[in-house]
Amino acid sequence: MKNIKLAVILNLCIGMAMALPDSEFTKCDIYSISDGKVSAHLVATVAWLSYFDNGKRTVLSAPENNIPHYDPLGKIDSIELSNSAISKSQIFSMHLKRNVPNENDPLSNYGNLWSAFGNFAGTIINEQNHVANAKCSYTPFKSEDPDANNLVAKFKSEIEGLNVNMSKLLSEQKAPDLENNPGKLKFYVNIVTYGTNDLRNFVEDFLCPDQTNFCDNNKKNFATDFNFNLDQITKGDHMVAYSIKYITRGVKGEIRLVSGGVLIPQYVGTQIKGIILYFHGTSLAKDDVPSCFTGRRLYAEYAEYCHRDNVYSSSKLAGGILASQGYIVVMPDYIGLGADNTTIHPYVLYSKVNAASGLDMVTATKELLKRLGGKTKIQNNFYITGFSEGGAYALWASNIVTQPENTFLMSNQLNLKDTVGLSGAYDLKYAQMPMLTDDITLKSHYNIGNIDTAKEQIPVLISYLLSSYGFYDLNKDYSSLMQNEFLAHKCIIDSKSYTVPELFAIHEPYIYNYQIALSIINYLSKAADYQDHPAKAIVQSKLWADKAFLTKLEENSINSWSKAPTPIGLVYLSKDSVVTNLNSTNTFKHLVGKTGVTAKIIDTERYKYGNASNSNDFDHPQSEVLQLAAALQQFSYYK
């Protein structure tokens, strides 16, 4: 590898090891000797070169006093690099020291016993500079010498001052760095390798919720309906999962750094069939995203935004159904989620923005594949699909890349083969929005399968949609969208209170989807009309007379298309309590005559969970595994 340059902003807090791709492992320990104040409180930027060459550690050091560094208080006399690697994950140690001990500084007498570990806060890879999460932290210091303790305590405020200086430095560094084209790869790291047996068992668990009495029948119907036998998952080799960060544009056209997950099958001597762009379904919590493959257990080494204990199911399902069959799967986290957690996700009413962000991730993934190298040939076939919220984004992405003036396919050397929407909200004005705001006892009209599921999901979805619209289009004025009493209500999660719009904008570690949903439902369940009309206590009655809002619904509906890409497949459920299948049937009618469109209905009565005395048909929340198999089935027609 050449020109792999890593710049690190070091914090004085508990250290972490950061695994870089292509067998690069880097860790930096700081051993600080004070030079008259407390140099251990420094924030330093140090650059070096290092890489593995066929498993052998190689360190390219620089002259002792010629290493770039950020030293705002002028405390560093020298920086030395050492080859004394402790383990594979530690290339070398870096020592900050003063050449001549200071007799007036009691800390200098402790030498290397006074130590702190450095955090990786930013990286430069192949001249790509991104700095994030840099903050100077106070590390408690205890010594038998009271003078040393007093001196450390005295300069605690100095650390807080460095935070201000560092924030200014970071803003200066970020500004030119983020002026990149959308699709620019900024960061990547290999997170986990999935064995095929593990993936098979994971898919089986979704076909057999709680190991129900209906497991065998579900698997039999799965094989019949989608020509997919679970054992074919194990015929391939393992899957490698990468988390990446890349550049895209937000709702206002601003540059944003976002994240996503990539699954790459490891087939020796076999061609990879192509790339699948997969848009996931609705996520409420900021870290309920594809790039958080394994939950927080393996994430301390690199990601500051993955706090969940459990595995993100969509990523692993996509691995079992799609990647295991020879496809690279690209899964964007979305704007406002994952690494981009400082704003609200532009939900449903901003289809083009989300679709474009997914396409930018494909561009970034192409760059990732170049860097990883490898001898396996990748065909230029390109497929797009998405489930639930992501279903509409999939169709919009297909529409974008097939416009005459669009150069995405040509610049990425891809050939769009097929697009499949999976129970998406394609018709917002005449299907999805009416269902969310109507009396759900009219379930025969909307083809609702389970009233209880609808009551759980509808209040959350409509709250999310209106919160996002108010945030982006109405300057956070929600009064014309939601009722005052509902807006004034404070949702309590872990002893903290939030308004409903705040629930979807906050990034609090360890807040889960179910907590956000329950905090809304618990309030609404007290309303008189909740059982039949769960959204009545949320939505302003005058909303349906709001021309700007109605225009927004129309602009983000597939029915607004005068032309359409081809081919397009629509997969939907016979009964759906979350995204009414009127979205698909209305859209199918609109697209017939404009494109080669097909439709596949999944009979939910063929898939059950529970027991003989209390069984339920699969519904929207259980259907992703079925719909991914349906997408794969259609992709196989367009090799």
Side-chain angles (χ1 to χ4, degrees):
M1 297 180 63
K2 299 179 180 180
N3 298 324
I4 301 297
K5 191 163 59 174
L6 180 65
V8 179
I9 293 180
L10 303 166
N11 306 353
L12 298 181
C13 50
I14 297 175
M16 62 172 74
M18 185 181 200
L20 292 179
D22 290 344
S23 300
E24 293 181 39
F25 298 87
T26 309
K27 180 181 179 182
C28 181
D29 294 346
I30 307 176
Y31 300 90
S32 177
I33 302 176
S34 178
D35 65 347
K37 290 189 178 180
V38 185
S39 62
H41 292 174
L42 289 176
V43 176
T45 300
V46 181
W48 67 85
L49 301 175
S50 64
Y51 64 95
F52 268 91
D53 182 15
N54 296 325
K56 180 181 179 182
R57 173 176 54 81
T58 304
V59 177
L60 307 179
S61 59
E64 179 176 306
N65 290 307
N66 192 31
I67 300 176
H69 62 274
Y70 174 63
D71 179 16
L73 301 182
K75 294 181 177 180
I76 301 177
D77 285 341
S78 68
I79 301 176
E80 294 182 352
L81 300 181
S82 169
N83 287 355
S84 57
I86 297 174
S87 65
K88 183 179 180 181
S89 64
Q90 180 181 347
I91 296 294
F92 55 79
S93 296
M94 181 186 71
H95 300 264
L96 276 65
K97 76 174 187 178
R98 179 175 173 79
N99 293 328
V100 181
N102 189 331
E103 296 179 356
N104 297 320
D105 182 5
L107 291 184
S108 66
N109 298 324
Y110 289 94
N112 286 352
L113 295 178
W114 209 121
S115 65
F117 295 108
N119 273 346
F120 288 90
T123 62
I124 298 178
I125 301 176
N126 286 351
E127 306 300 326
Q128 298 179 32
N129 178 28
H130 169 59
V131 182
N133 195 32
K135 185 176 182 181
C136 186
S137 302
Y138 176 66
T139 302
F141 172 80
K142 293 184 179 181
S143 169
E144 295 180 357
D145 188 333
D147 291 334
N149 289 326
N150 292 337
L151 188 59
V152 172
K154 177 181 177 182
F155 288 102
K156 179 180 178 180
S157 61
E158 180 180 321
I159 299 175
E160 299 171 355
L162 284 177
N163 283 330
V164 177
N165 293 334
M166 181 53 67
S167 296
K168 180 179 179 182
L169 174 73
L170 291 180
S171 64
E172 293 172 353
Q173 291 192 13
K174 281 184 177 181
D177 172 52
L178 294 183
E179 291 177 1
N180 287 297
N181 291 330
K184 189 74 171 180
L185 178 66
K186 307 301 292 184
F187 172 86
Y188 66 98
V189 63
N190 172 211
I191 298 301
V192 67
T193 298
Y194 292 123
T196 52
N197 285 326
D198 179 26
L199 291 174
R200 182 203 179 282
N201 294 336
F202 192 82
V203 172
E204 183 176 35
D205 287 343
F206 272 77
L207 281 174
C208 306
D210 303 321
Q211 293 299 311
T212 67
N213 299 332
F214 306 101
C215 183
D216 291 341
N217 192 61
N218 286 350
K219 289 191 290 186
K220 178 182 177 181
N221 290 337
F222 189 70
T224 302
D225 294 347
F226 310 109
N227 193 29
F228 194 105
N229 189 299
L230 294 183
D231 289 338
Q232 70 192 62
I233 298 175
T234 62
K235 292 181 179 180
D237 209 332
H238 57 281
M239 310 295 140
V240 179
Y242 286 86
S243 174
I244 74 170
K245 294 179 183 179
Y246 64 99
I247 297 298
T248 194
R249 292 195 181 275
V251 173
K252 306 297 183 182
E254 76 280 10
I255 291 293
R256 304 198 71 86
L257 181 75
V258 294
S259 53
V262 181
L263 291 166
I264 303 177
Q266 303 299 295
Y267 286 157
V268 179
T270 303
Q271 284 191 353
I272 291 178
K273 298 175 183 177
I275 294 176
I276 296 175
L277 171 58
Y278 179 51
F279 294 95
H280 66 79
T282 298
S283 296
L284 306 181
K286 296 290 189 182
D287 56 356
D288 185 37
V289 291
S291 69
C292 291
F293 287 101
T294 60
R296 62 179 175 173
R297 293 186 297 277
L298 298 180
Y299 274 66
E301 293 186 350
Y302 87 99
E304 70 284 1
Y305 59 88
C306 295
H307 303 291
R308 301 165 61 84
D309 289 317
N310 56 308
V311 172
Y312 182 73
S313 61
S314 292
S315 296
K316 209 165 181 181
L317 281 176
I321 301 295
L322 303 177
S324 72
Q325 303 309 297
Y327 298 89
I328 293 171
V329 184
V330 178
M331 303 172 290
D333 289 345
Y334 298 160
I335 296 166
L337 298 174
D340 184 30
N341 50 38
T342 60
T343 190
I344 193 170
H345 167 50
Y347 182 62
V348 177
L349 296 177
Y350 305 89
S351 297
K352 293 181 182 179
V353 173
N354 287 298
S357 177
L359 294 170
D360 289 337
M361 187 178 174
V362 174
T363 300
T365 300
K366 292 284 286 187
E367 176 63 24
L368 169 67
L369 296 173
K370 289 180 183 179
R371 296 192 189 186
L372 296 177
K375 298 180 180 180
T376 303
K377 183 176 180 181
I378 302 172
Q379 297 185 43
N380 66 352
N381 299 331
F382 183 44
Y383 306 87
I384 309 175
T385 188
F387 170 64
S388 194
E389 176 191 349
Y393 303 159
L395 268 61
W396 278 102
S398 182
N399 182 271
I400 290 172
V401 302
T402 53
Q403 296 300 312
E405 69 278 6
N406 191 277
T407 60
F408 170 85
L409 295 174
M410 181 174 64
S411 61
N412 286 288
Q413 296 182 323
L414 292 172
N415 180 16
L416 179 62
K417 289 289 189 176
D418 194 16
T419 304
V420 180
L422 310 174
S423 291
Y426 317 116
D427 187 358
L428 296 174
K429 186 175 181 181
Y430 297 107
Q432 188 61 21
M433 191 64 184
M435 177 203 179
L436 295 180
T437 56
D438 210 343
D439 184 341
I440 60 173
T441 58
L442 303 173
K443 65 176 186 178
S444 60
H445 175 69
Y446 295 108
N447 297 314
I448 293 173
N450 189 301
I451 290 293
D452 289 334
T453 299
K455 287 192 297 185
E456 293 172 357
Q457 300 276 341
I458 285 176
V460 180
L461 300 183
I462 190 65
S463 298
Y464 202 174
L465 183 152
L466 296 178
S467 295
S468 178
Y469 178 66
F471 183 92
Y472 285 106
D473 278 50
L474 302 179
N475 196 27
K476 302 182 183 179
D477 181 2
Y478 308 99
S479 58
S480 64
L481 308 174
M482 293 180 271
Q483 294 192 28
N484 293 334
E485 185 177 351
F486 182 68
L487 284 173
H489 169 65
K490 294 289 186 178
C491 300
I492 308 298
I493 299 180
D494 294 338
S495 302
K496 295 182 180 180
S497 63
Y498 310 94
T499 64
V500 170
E502 287 173 345
L503 281 177
F504 300 109
I506 61 169
H507 176 230
E508 286 285 349
Y510 317 118
I511 288 184
Y512 293 84
N513 286 334
Y514 78 90
Q515 292 175 297
I516 295 174
L518 283 177
S519 65
I520 295 173
I521 295 170
N522 287 342
Y523 167 75
L524 292 174
S525 62
K526 302 172 186 177
D529 296 319
Y530 173 72
Q531 297 299 324
D532 300 330
H533 204 155
K536 191 172 183 180
I538 301 175
V539 181
Q540 285 280 16
S541 59
K542 60 184 179 182
L543 183 62
W544 281 105
D546 188 326
K547 292 183 179 179
F549 180 72
L550 296 179
T551 298
K552 196 76 172 181
L553 295 177
E554 292 176 349
E555 290 175 346
N556 286 275
S557 295
I558 305 302
N559 291 346
S560 66
W561 293 3
S562 58
K563 295 182 179 180
T566 187
I568 285 180
L570 300 175
V571 177
Y572 58 95
L573 308 179
S574 57
K575 300 287 184 181
D576 195 320
S577 305
V578 180
V579 180
T580 173
N581 60 23
L582 293 180
N583 284 284
S584 296
T585 56
N586 291 356
T587 300
F588 180 81
K589 293 175 183 177
H590 175 75
L591 293 179
V592 168
K594 296 181 175 64
T595 184
V597 60
T598 60
K600 181 179 180 65
I601 306 172
I602 297 175
D603 184 357
T604 55
E605 293 183 357
R606 287 171 59 80
Y607 300 88
K608 299 182 184 296
Y609 63 100
N611 52 57
S613 61
N614 184 23
S615 65
N616 295 281
D617 296 340
F618 271 35
D619 206 331
H620 194 92
Q622 296 82 31
S623 71
E624 186 176 12
V625 61
L626 308 179
Q627 305 215 39
L628 283 171
L632 177 70
Q633 187 179 39
Q634 177 151 332
F635 291 160
S636 65
Y637 300 148
Y638 298 95
K639 296 180 181 179

